[in-house]
Amino acid sequence: MFFFSKILNQKRYQQKEEQTKSNRQQNQSAKQDPLSQDLSQNIEEAKRLFPLSPDLVIYRFVAGAEKAPVALLYLDGLTDKNAINNHILNPMLHNPSEVIQGMPIPSISGVRTVSTWDDVVAAILTGESVLLLEGQQQAWIYDTKGWPQRAIEDPQLESSLKGAHQGFVETGMQNIALLRRYLPNNEFRIKEQLVGQRGRSKVWILYLEDIANPDILEELETRISKVDVDALINTGELAQYIEDSPNSPFPQFIMTERPDSAVSQMLQGRFVVIVDRSPGVIIAPATFTSFFQSVDDYSTRWQIASFIRLLRFTAFMIAMLLPALYIAVISFNYEIIPLQLLLSIAESRASVPFPPLLEAVLMEITLEMMREAGIRLPAPVGQTIGIVGGIVVGQAAVQAGIVSNIMVIVVASTAIASFILPSYDMGMAVRLLRFPMMLMASLFGFIGMVIGFMTLIAHLVALESLGTPYGSPLAPFRWSDMKDTFVRLPLWKMTDRPKSARPTQDIRMDSKRPKGDES
Amino acid sequence: MRRLLILFAALLLLMMGYKDKIDIEDISLSLLVGIDLDEENNLVFSSSSPVFSKEAREKEEVYTTQAITLRKSRDKDDKTVMALTTGGKTQILLIGKRAMQQKGWFKMLEPYLRDPKNTLNVRIVMVDGFSYEVLQYAPKDKPRLPLYLFKLLETAAKRNITVSATLQDLRRATFEKGMTATVSEMRKDGKVFVIGSALLDEEGKYKLSIGEEENRLLRILQQQTKGEFQFTYKAADRPKGEIFPANAYSFSTEDISVKTKTNYADNKFKFDIHVKIRVVLAELMFPIDVRNEEKKLTREIEQQFEKKFDKFIDKVQQAKIDPIGLGLYARAFEYEHWKPVQKRWGEELAKADVNVKVKVEIAAMGTRK
């Protein structure tokens, strides 16, 4: 029975697949038709291709001295009204000399002609306006793109004190412009690819030709070209389609909203992938330790930056292991706690009816819920979460004897530690990994923690990002990259580009640093 | 799917193996353990453990049981104690004087030496009297008894009133032929006092007690010169004073270096111990110009020191014990002579010549002339 139903299912699935495939092909072939000479026929065709589209504007008028009937087609919301009115309609209606021999010459750049419906539809859909002329088998296309846009603002997710206050926006071209501003250099290369059957997102790969490794570029291009989806809504989606180990909790690409950090990664020989309509960009290849670096590190003094780096690694350990450590200690190895602390922990634990694991999970889940709730709530209400969470839940839970007060401290420090990590994705990974660690600690104490941690290290060492080792510069060990891993040495000491990005050009700068009044 | 199953099975298998999980609140921590012999020579074990319940009024439960061994006494404790008794956090082992006077009492500590979950850092204290009496002591102006006693011992050891002997030290000294053990000594006389140290013989039996001054001398000879050494002497050639002692002076030491030289001649061992002390004057009851009469005062202190050292060494030699560890030197430097006598080292030491030479330097005299 099971076998038959399996075959049946398979058949049904195959049928469906073929159907969708032919649907897609039909959609495409229908639009390959050439334009007609007859204007009204063309307009009818346009109406047919855009059914139920009240935002399609078809403006018919006569232009020039010859009073040629023309029609201008565009989508209302996607176009720049000013450009259309001032630079297309105004000259055509009031300056007959601007139309010579049926060739409209508006004062607008980016004019081209097309002759198939396919191109016309694509142009209209991307916000360009199309001019159709009576008796012409081609259409003029004007670049009048102007969709609703957000201003360039401070990035939300990665705020920085000393870095630039410009974050990426939802328009790919603007994002490229933001990057170009940093690197006015003709080694700056942009490769365009189209991804998505319906959405047709433009995806750009940006890199510096003389630094970036061509093998990695090829790998990246191949992977992106193999993505076959309806549409890409976000960069995060693309990352999931192209990353090496989709089942790993660790992010294998850096995702940033900051042009300055993207540029600094490009200068190290990495690639930046921009997806149109998404404010985040992908930086690849990434290493584990690169998630602990932030732009601010490079603009503060090196001692302070190093201290903060070390703090982040410590915070990573705390955020992942502290609840587990608590469980392991109080149910297996109480001997290692100093006596006075032991007495106060035990006193506080004595009124808790749950085993340590349940106590910890209860509190951690509460914390995660408050954190998520805090994100969803509007800002003025969001602050209440802090009060409700911190005071009401924390204090009351202890008084009610549901959790011990040491547990509240553990949870609070874990939460603080996980906020220190500059990368949101890495923070998420840590938040998740905390739970298996807690389980291991509850089952086997320290041994469980050690096994869990070793498994994690093994996994990190085995991971790859675009075929380059994720554990670098720790495994494979690269001494020269250590200058910018746990500590950040003075900038003039970092004369080479990091080897983990496998750049083709190693030397970053001359190591001589002019010192004040030295001439 | 199969990988998941394997993982699950592995986890299940591992879970079979674990069983030493006890939550902290289910543990009855024997923080103080007492071992005694009562008048009829019955072994009496007592233990004190903290109570974590908020409802309990007394925060300490003390149990005293008769049993044949320490481990057996745990059985009896578990019959009445709320939680499971463990020795992983024991702070102090109190051993009654009567028990310590018997040969082989050390065997009673087997559970601490054999079970790795039990601590080896437990302090060993001889109680002049019965240890269960100390365990009953519940002062109102002090923290929990175990914490209080531990702190008391620790600070006393810092001032070198007593030695700081852990089970580890005791074990070493007991099995070591070249030295005999020393443990702290306490007495309960209304309050609990640290008296000084108790010296044991080669079989581990209690031999003699020393007070704080002798304890300091012992620590210097053992080359354990950490912490503060404070001495108050009376000058021999000064008038005594009527009510207030006019001849007393005190000093503490800043830097002590001890060098022991070993020789063998005339069928006996000879130890020359050179002690160099830098002293800081703390009180001086008689007028003396330290700057001009420094030498006189220095000689005075040296002589006092040497006299005390000689007296102390005499005492030790008469008791035929070696708390200083001179046997270690004998073995290291005069092995062929040490080897035949190693089993009766105490007697051999009693015959030996032990000379202590003290060299004092006044490092500071304070802010007064």
Side-chain angles (χ1 to χ4, degrees):
Chain A
M1 266 307 279
F2 178 70
F3 181 69
F4 285 117
S5 69
K6 210 173 170 184
I7 288 181
L8 223 71
N9 267 339
Q10 216 164 9
K11 237 181 186 169
R12 208 178 290 162
Y13 177 73
Q14 273 171 358
Q15 274 176 359
K16 224 176 172 182
E17 181 115 303
E18 274 160 24
Q19 206 183 334
T20 32
K21 264 191 185 158
S22 61
N23 262 353
R24 277 183 174 181
Q25 276 164 6
Q26 262 177 13
N27 266 342
Q28 279 182 349
S29 62
K31 288 188 242 159
Q32 286 295 334
D33 301 336
L35 289 162
S36 155
Q37 282 202 345
D38 183 19
L39 182 61
S40 343
Q41 206 179 318
N42 278 342
I43 288 171
E44 284 310 306
E45 180 65 16
K47 279 183 180 163
R48 197 188 67 77
L49 286 170
F50 287 92
L52 290 180
S53 300
D55 54 344
L56 180 74
V57 178
I58 303 173
Y59 184 45
R60 296 185 69 162
F61 57 99
V62 283
E66 292 142 41
K67 307 258 179 212
V70 293
L72 189 70
L73 280 74
Y74 58 88
L75 281 175
D76 199 18
L78 283 182
T79 43
D80 183 358
K81 282 276 175 51
N82 282 332
I84 291 175
N85 290 340
N86 299 338
H87 303 295
I88 302 174
L89 294 179
N90 197 25
M92 277 198 226
L93 289 171
H94 303 295
N95 256 346
S97 61
E98 303 252 340
V99 182
I100 307 157
Q101 301 265 318
M103 286 277 290
I105 311 173
S107 53
I108 196 161
S109 69
V111 186
R112 63 197 160 97
T113 54
V114 297
S115 52
T116 59
W117 276 109
D118 191 16
D119 294 330
V120 169
V121 169
I124 292 177
L125 283 174
T126 52
E128 288 167 319
S129 39
V130 175
L131 189 77
L132 297 170
L133 261 83
E134 177 69 47
Q136 294 278 351
Q137 232 183 336
Q138 53 185 356
W140 277 260
I141 294 187
Y142 306 118
D143 185 4
T144 52
K145 287 173 190 158
W147 45 79
Q149 241 181 49
R150 180 168 68 101
I152 291 174
E153 286 165 356
D154 220 354
Q156 286 270 308
L157 220 54
E158 308 154 78
S159 45
S160 134
L161 293 175
K162 287 186 153 186
H165 295 286
Q166 289 185 323
F168 286 124
V169 287
E170 285 78 0
T171 308
M173 273 299 162
Q174 289 225 23
N175 292 347
I176 291 175
L178 283 171
L179 291 176
R180 275 247 200 235
R181 289 255 298 115
Y182 282 97
L183 292 173
N185 185 320
N186 68 342
E187 297 291 347
F188 189 104
R189 299 289 149 86
I190 304 167
K191 285 211 168 178
E192 190 178 276
Q193 271 176 305
L194 281 173
V195 176
Q197 292 292 340
R198 287 174 197 276
R200 287 239 160 257
S201 294
K202 281 185 182 164
V203 173
W204 293 279
I205 305 172
L206 285 74
Y207 59 98
L208 289 169
E209 175 73 26
D210 55 342
I211 298 172
N213 192 315
D215 296 343
I216 301 177
L217 175 67
E218 201 191 318
E219 176 73 31
L220 187 59
E221 274 187 298
T222 330
R223 284 194 199 178
I224 292 177
S225 64
K226 277 184 185 161
V227 177
D228 181 23
V229 288
D230 264 0
L232 278 182
I233 305 294
N234 226 322
T235 328
E237 284 181 17
L238 179 69
Q240 287 178 53
Y241 288 117
I242 63 173
E243 71 195 349
D244 299 58
S245 316
N247 293 329
S248 167
F250 290 103
Q252 289 141 51
F253 299 126
I254 304 171
M255 270 190 263
T256 182
E257 283 185 295
R258 305 191 60 88
D260 47 0
S261 74
V263 166
S264 87
Q265 299 286 2
M266 275 175 83
L267 283 168
Q268 292 175 17
R270 298 201 164 87
F271 297 86
V272 169
V273 180
I274 297 178
V275 177
D276 198 11
R277 300 168 217 153
S278 168
V281 305
I282 294 175
I283 293 163
T287 62
F288 176 69
T289 53
S290 59
F291 290 93
F292 292 83
Q293 301 168 347
S294 125
V295 239
D296 271 354
D297 289 0
Y298 300 95
S299 45
T300 42
R301 313 188 66 75
W302 70 269
Q303 301 93 331
I304 294 149
S306 298
F307 168 69
I308 290 170
R309 267 296 160 78
L310 290 172
L311 201 69
R312 284 188 198 128
F313 283 98
T314 319
F316 172 78
M317 297 299 254
I318 290 176
M320 196 158 59
L321 296 178
L322 190 65
L325 185 76
Y326 171 77
I327 293 171
V329 160
I330 68 166
S331 37
F332 287 92
N333 293 90
Y334 65 90
E335 291 96 344
I336 67 156
I337 324 174
L339 181 64
Q340 299 215 322
L341 182 62
L342 179 75
L343 293 179
S344 70
I345 293 177
E347 224 158 81
S348 150
R349 275 281 307 156
S351 56
V352 178
F354 307 118
L357 176 69
L358 197 61
E359 184 195 1
V361 169
L362 205 72
M363 248 358 235
E364 290 290 346
I365 297 267
T366 315
L367 171 85
E368 295 299 320
M369 285 200 301
M370 282 193 294
R371 197 171 146 153
E372 281 302 307
I375 298 170
R376 312 290 160 222
L377 279 175
V381 193
Q383 290 187 347
T384 326
I385 282 293
I387 298 162
V388 172
I391 297 166
V392 180
V393 176
Q395 186 71 18
V398 170
Q399 276 180 1
I402 296 171
V403 292
S404 61
N405 40 27
I406 306 286
M407 190 65 228
V408 175
I409 298 172
V410 166
V411 168
S413 20
T414 316
I416 292 167
S418 66
F419 283 128
I420 294 176
L421 299 181
S423 159
Y424 182 73
D425 299 291
M426 190 49 86
M428 294 288 270
V430 172
R431 277 163 71 187
L432 187 72
L433 286 171
R434 191 145 76 204
F435 291 97
M437 279 292 177
M438 273 152 59
L439 187 70
M440 287 300 272
S442 150
L443 290 178
F444 315 112
F446 276 132
I447 297 167
M449 275 175 74
V450 169
I451 290 172
F453 201 64
M454 279 167 71
T455 316
L456 204 71
I457 289 174
H459 173 65
L460 279 175
V461 168
L463 267 185
E464 285 186 343
S465 168
L466 280 184
T468 60
Y470 191 65
S472 168
L474 301 170
F477 189 77
R478 283 168 182 144
W479 178 245
S480 61
D481 281 12
M482 287 310 231
K483 288 174 186 171
D484 193 18
T485 302
F486 294 116
V487 292
R488 198 222 88 196
L489 287 192
L491 291 174
W492 58 92
K493 296 272 180 205
M494 295 193 261
T495 47
D496 287 2
R497 291 178 215 286
K499 299 220 169 20
S500 54
R502 302 207 342 237
T504 50
Q505 193 190 76
D506 269 349
I507 290 167
R508 172 144 55 176
M509 64 167 141
D510 185 8
S511 65
K512 280 185 209 115
R513 189 186 81 94
K515 287 186 197 107
D517 47 5
E518 233 172 66
S519 55
Chain B
M1 189 63 203
R2 208 167 62 194
R3 271 169 81 188
L4 212 74
L5 265 173
I6 291 171
L7 196 85
F8 198 70
L11 220 85
L12 220 71
L13 265 177
L14 277 168
M15 270 167 74
M16 311 272 179
Y18 97 95
K19 56 182 187 295
D20 52 348
K21 177 179 179 175
I22 319 170
D23 288 344
I24 205 166
E25 63 275 13
D26 299 333
I27 297 168
S28 176
L29 302 157
S30 305
L31 294 182
L32 289 179
V33 171
I35 301 174
D36 283 295
L37 270 186
D38 68 3
E39 269 87 0
E40 282 95 47
N41 280 349
N42 295 314
L43 268 170
V44 179
F45 297 95
S46 39
S47 77
S48 158
S49 28
V51 180
F52 299 126
S53 166
K54 280 199 177 109
E55 285 119 51
R57 200 170 291 164
E58 290 277 330
K59 294 294 177 196
E60 223 74 45
E61 30 183 12
V62 178
Y63 291 98
T64 306
T65 49
Q66 280 190 14
I68 54 163
T69 65
L70 188 60
R71 185 71 170 193
K72 185 72 192 158
S73 80
R74 195 178 85 164
D75 261 1
K76 296 205 172 171
D77 283 350
D78 282 343
K79 280 180 190 165
T80 158
V81 180
M82 219 162 51
L84 300 164
T85 316
T86 59
K89 260 312 196 193
T90 310
Q91 301 291 297
I92 297 171
L93 264 172
L94 296 157
I95 296 150
K97 195 172 182 176
R98 255 186 80 90
M100 263 211 177
Q101 280 165 335
Q102 311 300 318
K103 192 174 148 187
W105 66 270
F106 188 68
K107 282 189 198 123
M108 287 293 110
L109 307 184
E110 260 287 289
Y112 283 93
L113 297 169
R114 205 167 281 280
D115 184 354
K117 279 233 152 196
N118 286 340
T119 175
L120 274 178
N121 279 329
V122 49
R123 297 285 167 96
I124 309 290
V125 175
M126 189 190 92
V127 178
D128 188 9
F130 289 108
S131 66
Y132 48 81
E133 283 173 7
V134 175
L135 282 174
Q136 302 289 350
Y137 180 56
K140 276 187 187 135
D141 55 349
K142 304 277 189 312
R144 295 171 182 273
L145 187 64
L147 295 178
Y148 162 56
L149 286 187
F150 187 78
K151 200 86 199 153
L152 183 67
L153 273 176
E154 210 170 49
T155 43
K158 240 175 218 162
R159 283 272 152 89
N160 285 302
I161 292 168
T162 181
V163 291
S164 152
T166 63
L167 180 56
Q168 184 85 296
D169 300 328
L170 182 67
R171 194 191 132 271
R172 176 181 175 230
T174 310
F175 293 117
E176 169 64 62
K177 292 194 184 86
M179 71 185 295
T180 57
T182 312
V183 298
S184 305
E185 187 174 350
M186 248 181 204
R187 183 193 301 141
K188 193 194 159 203
D189 228 359
K191 277 183 183 169
V192 168
F193 296 93
V194 176
I195 311 172
S197 301
L199 306 183
L200 313 182
D201 71 1
E202 275 167 14
E203 288 169 325
K205 285 196 312 199
Y206 165 76
K207 207 72 193 200
L208 53 98
S209 292
I210 53 175
E212 70 266 16
E213 199 178 64
E214 281 175 319
N215 187 67
R216 282 181 190 134
L217 299 176
L218 172 67
R219 295 299 279 169
I220 291 175
L221 291 176
Q222 284 178 335
Q223 308 200 359
Q224 301 292 327
T225 53
K226 272 186 200 143
E228 203 181 305
F229 287 85
Q230 177 206 310
F231 295 94
T232 299
Y233 285 162
K234 281 175 182 163
D237 53 348
R238 300 273 167 185
K240 259 181 154 179
E242 285 169 20
I243 300 168
F244 301 109
N247 59 348
Y249 60 98
S250 305
F251 54 87
S252 54
T253 61
E254 209 171 49
D255 194 8
I256 304 175
S257 90
V258 186
K259 283 203 176 94
T260 308
K261 278 187 183 152
T262 318
N263 266 312
Y264 188 82
D266 304 335
N267 277 337
K268 59 182 178 182
F269 282 94
K270 190 165 181 267
F271 297 98
D272 288 308
I273 303 172
H274 293 274
V275 183
K276 255 194 197 167
I277 304 177
R278 280 162 64 84
V279 307
V280 177
L281 292 174
E283 17 176 48
L284 201 56
M285 297 298 187
F286 45 86
I288 180 168
D289 186 351
V290 184
R291 271 187 218 153
N292 293 326
E293 296 176 77
E294 189 192 340
K295 270 202 181 136
K296 198 180 159 200
L297 187 63
T298 308
R299 199 164 310 124
E300 150 92 38
I301 297 173
E302 280 171 1
Q303 278 167 1
Q304 292 258 18
F305 257 125
E306 278 167 17
K307 224 195 282 170
K308 306 246 170 186
F309 271 124
D310 283 345
K311 211 171 148 198
F312 173 67
I313 284 168
D314 268 358
K315 204 169 162 185
V316 168
Q317 279 180 318
Q318 266 169 26
K320 292 182 180 163
I321 54 175
D322 182 10
I324 306 164
L326 290 172
L328 303 174
Y329 282 90
R331 181 170 59 200
F333 295 103
E334 299 291 341
Y335 185 67
E336 67 257 47
H337 299 116
W338 187 76
K339 209 186 169 210
V341 298
Q342 58 175 344
K343 288 211 170 126
R344 42 182 183 85
W345 172 243
E347 287 166 38
E348 191 63 27
L349 182 69
K351 288 197 299 183
D353 266 353
V354 185
N355 297 314
V356 183
K357 276 264 167 290
V358 182
K359 200 165 174 332
V360 168
E361 190 188 326
I362 295 176
M365 59 176 186
T367 48
R368 275 194 68 185
K369 251 182 141 179

